[in-house]
Amino acid sequence: MYAFKDVALVTPGGVIENGVLVTEEDRIRALGPEADVPVPSQAQVIDGQGMYLAPGFIELQLNGGFGEDFTDNPDSIWRVAAQLPRYGVTSFLPTIITCGEDTLNHALRALRRGRPADFRGAVPLGLHVEGPFLNPAKKGAHNPAYITAPDARRAADWSPETGVRLVTLAPELPGAHEVIGVLRNNGVVVSAGHSMATYEEAMEAFSDGITYGTHLFNAQPPLDHRRPGLSAALLRARSVAVGIIPDGIHVHPAMVDLAWRAKGPRGLTLVTDAMAAMGMTPGEYRLGDFTVTVDETSARLADGTLAGSILTLDAALRNLMDYTGASLVEALPCVTSTPASVLGLANVGVIRAGAKADLVLLDQDGYVVLTMTGGDLFYQRGKLNEPAE
Ligand code: ZN
């Protein structure tokens, strides 16, 4: 049992200054102003020194990190998960890019085997399956050999129960309508991406049940005032949230600001789309079937195509503040409650009694000081990779 005291609690109803929050096992037990919430005598007390206590971050698109690529080696999911709390991430969707059926099945088995003994870290909530039903004209760093037309039989078993939480597909392709129906019926979130969809095709796909857009502006035609296309449809549709990669390279900061103004904190989720080099030094790494060259800021195929990022989610949050002028509290939903609502999850991404004790203590500038995953105190600044005492 832990008790945070002297924290600014970031709750759905606003910030509670001088707050106290008590955890019991993996849940938040009580929270409120200091005067209203007694600190249990058996609790280990953490003095927040006035800093923000926010919900743990949720990442919807992560290809790997720390030298590991999930598509190249799906067994690495748990090893990467163990290191994510250093960036404030407490749950995430491991992303498997376009690959053969064997690789995807391997990843699903790795998830279903469950956490290894003694595992501590961020929780994989199910896979983000990005491909294979993509438009070859917007393949990005996906292997065209595995890109196929939408096939409802292939998607028939994909569900949160089998380990698939979100699927990115190109909605304009023949057969996509049927696949969207199958996936929605199975409880899978369907996202439009790697697509040439026109504005009209996109709006129709939203009425078919697409509720998310994968990395807005990337791997889709540019925003054009005469042919508005998928990007404009995603910016405009209130029923659809979008992911955006705010690393300053995938999308110009001005366009991130435009997306922020159009979507607001409830329609915008920050994603890293990070690959194996996240948390590592420049060099050569894998992304799916390809070798990727990584410098100080970007990851690219030999022809210059961007191949994921090396962004971390805490840096994404600070970049959003920088690009838009939003305060930390204004920007936080983009990595907490909004990704939770995209997934339809009520017990993560929020600070309230009974929710999961996934928490991040942040300084005023958005730097991670401490992360708790499921009531387990995991990371404190200055002690990278060491369990907190
Ligand atoms: Zn992509």
Side-chain angles (χ1 to χ4, degrees):
M1 178 181 277
Y2 292 95
F4 293 86
K5 63 164 207 172
D6 191 16
V7 286
L9 289 166
V10 184
T11 76
V15 176
I16 301 172
E17 302 285 350
N18 278 315
V20 166
L21 182 146
V22 179
T23 69
E24 185 169 24
E25 298 185 345
D26 67 340
R27 299 282 144 180
I28 297 170
R29 184 168 109 172
L31 65 117
E34 195 174 33
D36 298 352
V37 182
V39 172
S41 58
Q42 71 271 36
Q44 187 176 329
V45 176
I46 299 163
D47 184 348
Q49 299 170 22
M51 289 186 279
Y52 288 105
L53 190 63
F57 300 164
I58 303 169
E59 161 73 280
L60 297 181
Q61 187 164 10
L62 182 73
N63 303 296
F66 315 105
E68 310 269 16
D69 177 62
F70 298 144
T71 307
D72 188 45
N73 177 15
D75 292 320
S76 65
I77 289 172
W78 295 98
R79 284 198 294 280
V80 172
Q83 301 196 64
L84 290 174
R86 72 166 82 168
Y87 305 126
V89 176
T90 53
S91 55
F92 71 111
L93 301 186
T95 301
I96 301 294
I97 67 169
T98 300
C99 59
E101 286 189 85
D102 287 352
T103 304
L104 182 60
N105 288 332
H106 183 170
L108 291 170
R109 281 197 305 278
L111 264 194
R112 283 204 300 272
R113 271 199 302 273
R115 54 180 69 199
D118 304 329
F119 174 80
R120 312 171 75 232
V123 175
L125 298 169
L127 299 182
H128 175 167
V129 178
E130 193 188 19
F133 311 138
L134 307 181
N135 193 318
K138 289 291 173 188
K139 64 181 166 36
H142 290 242
N143 187 343
Y146 291 115
I147 290 177
T148 63
D151 177 353
R153 279 170 307 176
R154 190 154 160 190
D157 291 336
W158 295 355
S159 72
E161 291 71 36
T162 61
V164 177
R165 185 68 77 168
L166 190 151
V167 170
T168 294
L169 54 75
E172 72 278 16
L173 298 177
H177 173 82
E178 196 186 351
V179 170
I180 293 167
V182 166
L183 291 172
R184 292 302 300 150
N185 206 34
N186 289 358
V188 176
V189 178
V190 190
S191 181
H194 290 267
S195 164
M196 292 288 289
T198 63
Y199 179 81
E200 290 73 18
E201 286 166 337
M203 295 307 278
E204 196 182 321
F206 301 160
S207 59
D208 283 348
I210 283 195
T211 55
Y212 190 62
T214 297
H215 45 54
L216 177 69
F217 300 130
N218 294 117
Q220 51 197 251
L223 197 57
D224 182 293
H225 63 294
R226 293 193 198 280
R227 292 182 303 271
L230 175 60
S231 302
L234 288 171
L235 284 167
R236 215 174 148 239
R238 295 207 176 151
S239 62
V240 179
V242 299
I244 198 163
I245 309 171
D247 64 350
I249 292 166
H250 279 77
V251 182
H252 191 284
M255 294 300 272
V256 174
D257 187 40
L258 182 68
W260 165 258
R261 289 168 191 241
K263 302 303 291 182
R266 290 183 182 185
L268 190 67
T269 71
L270 307 186
V271 297
T272 64
D273 198 12
M275 45 76 74
M278 182 192 72
M280 306 289 283
T281 51
E284 295 207 325
Y285 294 88
R286 299 289 293 180
L287 179 67
D289 296 323
F290 298 130
T291 298
V292 177
T293 302
V294 175
D295 62 19
E296 300 291 343
T297 57
S298 69
R300 294 178 190 272
L301 301 181
D303 68 1
T305 301
L306 286 169
S309 85
I310 52 172
L311 181 66
T312 62
L313 200 55
D314 60 323
L317 179 68
R318 294 189 297 270
N319 287 351
L320 182 72
M321 294 161 62
D322 184 26
Y323 300 164
T324 66
S327 70
L328 178 63
V329 171
E330 287 167 340
L332 271 167
C334 301
V335 290
T336 58
S337 52
T338 303
S341 100
V342 167
L343 300 178
L345 299 174
N347 277 330
V348 293
V350 63
I351 288 187
R352 62 168 173 74
K356 217 167 154 238
D358 286 353
L359 300 163
V360 185
L361 190 66
L362 297 161
D363 71 14
Q364 312 294 321
D365 300 319
Y367 285 87
V368 176
V369 175
L370 175 154
T371 301
M372 174 176 275
T373 64
D376 197 4
L377 196 57
F378 188 87
Y379 161 67
Q380 285 178 292
R381 183 160 66 187
K383 296 186 176 183
L384 281 175
N385 290 328
E386 283 178 38
E389 61 272 16

